């Protein structure tokens, strides 16, 4: 089985020219096949504000009304995605920018309204990787923006961590998949106030314990849920690290273990 | 040789939900393989205005400073392109949205500054259709936004008529290519004041005569130059029509003949 690495990077890294260039150099240097999944929230918030569209967040999730959907479609699929693709081409790495609508890659359903109406936010329903694999196997690097479609003509704003995990799971039938979540910390911390207190190996049991005690909280919980889901679905390796971790042969940061 | 139809549609048609839906229905009904190349100028002007970015046009061409480049990248590659792709998916037509940067499809050079500095505007340099053909041959419909890249990490704003013609020419080595320019008139007119005075067949000789006499002027001239270039490069059929023409088996409007 061929090896493929799915790297998810948060918005901040890809939204600053210097850090983007450094990230892409490290990303391109990774051996084997690869996919980049990116965010872009900071740019979306900035452009929304310039357009007079109010940004509303609940628990770190963007409430996506119709105007906000237009903004994130422009920013994620246009500005951020094509900037990355052009930069990769400049490094000699052939790439293609995609959303979940392209190639019918990821179809989602608009999140049902319960206590909160998240608006045009997609919960992943199905992943179809046939054409994606043809491109990957020709050494084309997919660069995936955090948007899906509902099959009825609408784009949907979708969590980038979930998109990376969904792609990793679908590809696990065909490849030995590594999933890497790059974020601002060195890994999952056993002490939120000590940036060096990285948990080297996080079992599912330990995760649940840390979640109960409050050591692991907020945005880390859905990220880790996505990560453990990927391991259950047959993804070979999931780790959580900062962008420096891309240089270390993916052995830095926190490695997830389904025990 | 398999037949493929490259349809270029102007911004207005794809920027209004009703006309877009009607266009896509007709486009999907066209027999055989196909590609859609779109504009998006009206949305770009509107979003630019909302962002406080001034729109400057010279002879119908957009002066593209850095801020304008960001706007057109967002609007063409994001908003307009993904809206079309999601709508095609809803019609059961698998499609992929691309710019010239994706798959290294169309590389361009920043237009040299002569009397006018057009800014980040690209003149097409090379077209590379290997991966594009793989997708086309799997019945994926490429939807192409009018942007290229310079191979140095920059996106460039590029005329959509030229992009359609460049793709048609590159594909002519491998397919029997039809190139259709859809715009607001029924065809090229022998009398600019009579919308029914369509020239059914326009030879290159007649084009030059009408250009000298002023019957054919302004934006039609580069469009026709692109069309005649395509015929010279081996494109089987070029015609200029309105969106109604897509229903007529591509036999309405003005047919170009290289005589």
């Amino acid at each position: 089985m061929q090896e493929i690495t799915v790297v998810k990077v948060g918005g901040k890294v890809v939204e600053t020219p210097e850090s983007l260039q450094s990230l892409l150099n490290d990303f391109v240097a990774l051996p084997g096949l690869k996919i980049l999944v990116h965010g872009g929230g900071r740019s979306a918030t900035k452009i929304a504000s310039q357009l007079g569209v109010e940004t509303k967040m609940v628990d770190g999730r963007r409430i996506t009304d119709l105007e906000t959907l237009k903004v994130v479609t422009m920013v994620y699929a246009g500005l951020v995605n094509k900037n990355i693709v052009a930069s990769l081409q400049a490094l000699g790495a052939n790439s293609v920018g995609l959303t979940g609508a392209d190639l019918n890659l990821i179809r989602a359903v608009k999140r049902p309204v319960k206590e909160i109406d998240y608006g045009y936010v997609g919960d992943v329903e199905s992943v179809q990787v046939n054409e994606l694999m043809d491109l990957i196997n020709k050494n084309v690097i997919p660069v995936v923006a955090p948007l899906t479609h509902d099959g009825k003509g609408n784009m949907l704003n979708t969590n980038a961590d979930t998109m990376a995990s969904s792609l990793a799971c679908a590809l696990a039938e065909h490849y030995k998949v590594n999933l890497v979540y790059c974020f601002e910390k060195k890994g999952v911390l056993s002490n939120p106030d000590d940036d060096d207190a990285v948990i080297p190996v996080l079992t599912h049991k330990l995760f649940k314990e840390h979640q109960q005690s409050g050591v692991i909280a907020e945005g880390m919980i859905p990220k880790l849920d996505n990560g453990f889901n990927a391991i259950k679905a047959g993804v070979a390796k999931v780790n959580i690290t900062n962008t420096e971790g891309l240089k270390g042969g993916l052995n830095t940061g926190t490695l997830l273990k389904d025990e």
Side-chain angles (χ1 to χ4, degrees), chain A:
Chain A
M1 254 186 175
Q2 262 196 299
E3 201 162 336
I4 188 165
T5 304
V6 178
V7 176
K8 187 264 167 172
V9 284
K12 196 175 179 182
V13 176
V14 297
E15 292 171 275
T16 318
E18 299 75 33
S19 59
L20 173 62
Q21 205 52 54
S22 163
L23 168 84
L24 293 182
N25 285 329
D26 294 337
F27 174 73
V28 167
L30 286 175
L33 304 176
K34 41 199 173 269
I35 294 180
L36 188 64
V37 180
H38 63 83
R42 283 164 188 80
S43 297
T45 299
K46 190 175 150 203
I47 299 280
S49 153
Q50 287 173 358
L51 288 169
V53 176
E54 195 193 344
T55 295
K56 286 181 217 152
M57 307 287 279
V58 175
D59 292 338
R61 301 275 168 139
R62 191 179 302 267
I63 305 290
T64 308
D65 61 12
L66 201 55
E67 287 307 307
T68 303
L69 179 65
K70 284 185 189 171
V71 171
V72 296
T73 304
M74 290 198 297
V75 171
Y76 299 163
L79 193 61
V80 177
N81 190 270
K82 297 316 167 193
N83 192 23
I84 296 173
V85 170
S87 298
L88 282 172
Q89 296 292 3
L91 293 172
N94 197 4
S95 58
V96 61
L98 301 170
T99 67
D102 300 288
L103 304 174
N104 198 19
L105 190 57
I106 306 184
R107 197 178 277 230
V109 286
K110 189 166 176 287
R111 184 169 299 168
V113 178
K114 291 176 186 166
E115 300 93 67
I116 298 158
D117 182 358
Y118 284 96
Y120 291 91
V121 163
D123 290 326
V124 172
E125 195 180 40
S126 63
V127 184
Q128 190 278 109
V129 292
N130 289 339
E131 291 84 11
L132 188 80
M133 288 196 299
D134 291 335
L135 290 169
I136 290 167
N137 294 340
K138 284 168 203 276
N139 276 309
V140 174
I141 300 174
V143 177
V144 182
L147 294 159
T148 55
H149 76 124
D150 67 356
K152 298 168 195 161
N154 303 299
M155 299 298 292
L156 293 169
N157 189 10
T158 304
N159 181 270
D161 287 348
T162 308
M163 297 215 33
S165 167
S166 302
L167 285 171
C169 293
L171 292 167
E173 287 182 38
H174 310 277
Y175 303 88
K176 178 170 181 279
V177 181
N178 305 312
L179 172 61
V180 186
Y181 285 119
C182 279
F183 76 143
E184 65 275 16
K185 307 276 183 188
K186 287 182 185 168
V188 184
L189 304 178
S190 59
N191 175 358
D193 298 325
D194 179 1
D195 275 355
D196 289 323
V198 176
I199 303 169
V201 176
L202 183 66
T203 62
H204 193 256
K205 186 163 166 282
L206 188 59
F207 165 45
K208 286 294 159 191
E209 285 169 18
H210 280 328
Q211 190 179 343
Q212 280 205 325
S213 70
V215 164
I216 295 175
E218 298 178 354
M220 273 312 290
I221 294 169
K223 194 187 286 290
L224 287 169
D225 280 334
N226 276 311
F228 282 109
N229 284 344
I231 290 187
K232 280 209 187 84
V235 170
K237 189 173 171 183
V238 179
N239 73 334
I240 299 180
T241 180
N242 60 8
T243 52
E244 282 298 301
L246 289 184
K247 295 188 173 117
L250 309 178
N251 288 319
T252 56
T254 299
L255 186 71
L256 306 194
K257 287 273 181 203
D258 185 34
E259 281 164 18

